[in-house]
Amino acid sequence: MSGGDNDEASSMTNSRQPVHVVGGGLAGSEAAWQLAEAGHQVVLHEMRPQRMTDAHVTEGLAELVCSNSFRSDDWENNAVGLLHRELRLAGSLIMAAADAHRVPAGSALAVDRVGFSEAVEARLTAHPAITVERAEVSGLPPTAWGPTIIATGPLTSPALAAGIAALTGEDSLAFFDAIAPIVHRDSVDLTKAWFQSRYDKSDPDGDGADYINCPLDQAQYTAFIEALLTGDKIDFKDWEKDTPYFEGCMPVEVMASRGPETLRHGPLKPVGLTNPHCPDKPYAVIQLRQDNKLGTLYNIVGFQTKLRHGEQVRILRTVPGLEQAEFARLGGLHRNTFINGPKLLTADLRLKCEPRLRFAGQITGVEGYVESTAMGLLAARFLSAELAGRPAVPPPVTTALGALLSHVTGGGDAKTFQPMNVNFGLFPPPPAVPNKAGKLRPPKGRDRRQVMTARAAVDFDAWLSAPATRAS
């Protein structure tokens, strides 16, 4: 689009009433940015600090309340990394802030959570087309607002959640999301623990020593599992007892209850690590990942928990290297609410029974920071197209954005719908390729992943460059 066309589009959109985005998390922040960059005036509504949630501790926009990791950044071999690539190419504010505040995490993208949130808020509040209003939206957004994006996330206020439930006739679906503890780096005993990434993998600027590793022998591991199972835990209220957990954010004690070896083959697996303090291979390893840019805080990987705070301290201090651990934050538990997207949403994220409302972020039934960001970006692009009188063209299902969108708007089974991270199981299978004997066979393993990501790269680049799908 030429500069004159951009000026004309901006003039046309700016003459209209503002577009409203409800929720200042990752999805809402991304949606507001995309709309503003496309030439729309935007009002971003965030209820904090007027009304806080059970999980947030600041009033900052795009606060990360669980892990500080955006997970794998390897786009050629990993679906999450592929989603990173697509978001970056689409001009994502969230990915730009994550890249600017990256901390060492092997081949993963982890961020300094404070610097990240501050960067997102600074960009949004400085944008001349964005107004941030700090007040709760009680109930459904008023009709006078016109087309609106609801990106209130897993901690939607009770009044708005009740309004959505009344409008859709659906009971809110919910699961519990657990938070991992954070440890002060200088309280870890490095005569027992050591720095190393699995198989010494790291980002291009790393040294292959991005994690702190705490080893357990078999007796220590057995005792640790027993402590997790018998430790005092938070009691659920009656209305919470039937709420399922999300498999990708399972409390550590719930994983332990599935069998004594479950954790040793999950987040405590000892593979790819060598203990410099002892020649014997550890039976299990607890890893800590850097949580801030200064490197003063580390979170315990995979240790989301519903154990009471006193129990967390007692049990974690039995781990070699953590005997004197000091905690910047202990684990917690909060309820996560989402809608039945395959039943309720159109292909462009509008509510079928009230098309002026679009949904974005975790409330659509995606799970994860980048997945939430992706839904915010898409909702904004679809709304911008609508306001410009253009069709909303979704990305191809062969791409990470398209596969995730398809899942939450119809690809998932409405009868059993549960939140989903992006993964290659959401993509169409790759075409068969000739094997060494010349017969056509589906590619497998690493070859399969690379065929799928290469296809996605071509299809996404074509979609992004098409005139009908440009943001402005």
Side-chain angles (χ1 to χ4, degrees):
M1 187 176 286
S2 69
D5 290 338
N6 275 326
D7 292 341
E8 182 180 348
S10 296
S11 174
M12 177 183 66
T13 54
N14 287 339
S15 66
R16 299 175 178 174
Q17 66 181 40
V19 179
H20 293 262
V21 177
V22 185
L26 298 178
S29 295
E30 185 66 53
W33 179 260
Q34 293 289 327
L35 286 164
E37 287 290 279
H40 304 278
Q41 291 293 323
V42 181
V43 180
L44 176 60
H45 301 265
E46 171 53 51
M47 68 180 183
R48 293 174 294 121
Q50 183 192 80
R51 183 188 181 107
M52 296 299 288
T53 74
D54 293 333
H56 289 86
V57 295
T58 77
E59 61 186 63
L61 300 176
E63 178 187 341
L64 304 182
V65 300
C66 190
S67 167
N68 71 321
S69 175
F70 283 53
R71 305 172 359 255
S72 174
D73 205 32
D74 178 2
W75 79 264
E76 293 180 306
N77 295 287
N78 189 283
V80 178
L82 180 64
L83 187 54
H84 288 182
R85 176 189 186 273
E86 293 175 5
L87 289 170
R88 288 183 177 113
L89 290 173
S92 167
L93 168 66
I94 296 301
M95 289 304 300
D99 288 335
H101 293 273
R102 186 172 194 148
V103 297
S107 58
L109 170 60
V111 305
D112 178 320
R113 68 177 73 228
V114 175
F116 166 80
S117 174
E118 290 176 346
V120 172
E121 181 157 337
R123 296 287 298 278
L124 291 172
T125 55
H127 200 296
I130 298 174
T131 300
V132 179
E133 290 195 357
R134 297 282 186 166
E136 180 183 358
V137 176
S138 298
L140 291 172
T143 305
W145 285 5
T148 299
I149 293 176
I150 297 176
T152 46
L155 300 170
T156 298
S157 70
L160 179 53
I164 295 168
L167 178 63
T168 62
E170 290 284 311
D171 293 333
S172 292
L173 302 176
F175 61 87
F176 282 108
D177 206 0
I179 300 171
I182 295 176
V183 175
H184 288 281
R185 151 72 179 81
D186 60 8
S187 69
V188 179
D189 183 355
L190 291 175
T191 67
K192 298 178 181 178
W194 74 98
F195 280 93
Q196 187 186 6
S197 304
R198 292 192 195 280
Y199 302 106
D200 301 314
K201 288 184 177 180
S202 193
D203 62 51
D205 298 321
D207 58 4
D210 296 341
Y211 293 79
I212 296 175
N213 300 278
C214 298
L216 298 169
D217 61 27
Q218 186 169 3
Q220 291 166 333
Y221 175 79
T222 300
F224 185 76
I225 296 300
E226 180 64 19
L228 291 177
L229 295 175
T230 59
D232 192 15
K233 302 170 184 67
I234 297 170
D235 293 327
F236 290 148
K237 299 175 183 178
D238 289 341
W239 56 269
E240 297 174 325
K241 290 180 178 176
D242 294 327
T243 304
Y245 292 106
F246 170 58
E247 289 288 330
C249 203
M250 185 74 62
V252 64
E253 62 277 3
V254 175
M255 285 191 282
S257 71
R258 295 181 170 182
E261 293 292 293
T262 301
L263 285 172
R264 204 172 76 85
H265 294 282
L268 273 67
K269 58 182 178 288
V271 299
L273 298 166
T274 303
N275 184 356
H277 307 303
C278 178
D280 296 332
K281 182 178 179 180
Y283 192 74
V285 173
I286 292 173
Q287 290 195 306
L288 288 76
R289 176 178 54 224
Q290 187 173 330
D291 200 80
N292 67 343
K293 188 157 286 187
L294 292 174
T296 57
L297 300 176
Y298 277 70
N299 63 65
I300 307 179
V301 178
F303 267 68
Q304 298 86 359
T305 182
K306 62 173 182 171
L307 286 163
R308 295 191 182 277
H309 285 182
E311 288 290 76
Q312 292 180 46
V313 173
R314 180 183 67 82
I315 295 171
L316 288 170
R317 284 182 176 167
T318 68
V319 174
L322 299 183
E323 293 93 342
Q324 303 299 320
E326 296 294 333
F327 298 90
R329 184 189 72 188
L330 289 161
L333 193 70
H334 63 270
R335 184 170 177 170
N336 193 343
T337 302
F338 61 98
I339 64 173
N340 191 334
K343 184 174 183 179
L344 300 177
L345 296 178
T346 65
D348 59 353
L349 295 170
R350 289 179 297 158
L351 197 60
K352 292 177 181 177
C353 64
E354 185 61 81
R356 72 181 178 89
L357 301 178
R358 271 187 171 83
F359 283 79
Q362 281 188 256
I363 198 169
T364 64
V366 298
E367 174 62 21
Y369 294 147
V370 288
E371 290 87 345
S372 298
T373 299
M375 293 300 103
L377 183 144
L378 287 173
R381 283 176 164 264
F382 293 154
L383 178 51
S384 182
E386 176 188 331
L387 294 173
R390 294 185 282 107
V393 181
V397 294
T398 52
T399 67
L401 275 166
L404 194 62
L405 173 69
S406 176
H407 178 75
V408 301
T409 59
D413 186 347
K415 294 180 181 178
T416 59
F417 186 65
Q418 284 290 312
M420 182 68 72
N421 292 121
V422 67
N423 64 83
F424 286 123
L426 303 181
F427 293 61
V433 294
N435 61 12
K436 293 181 179 180
K439 295 183 178 179
L440 290 177
R441 293 287 187 269
K444 296 181 179 180
R446 185 182 181 89
D447 290 342
R448 177 183 176 86
R449 294 191 296 271
Q450 292 187 345
V451 167
M452 296 175 81
T453 56
R455 176 183 65 180
V458 172
D459 292 351
F460 184 79
D461 293 351
W463 174 81
L464 192 63
S465 63
T469 58
R470 290 175 186 164
S472 59

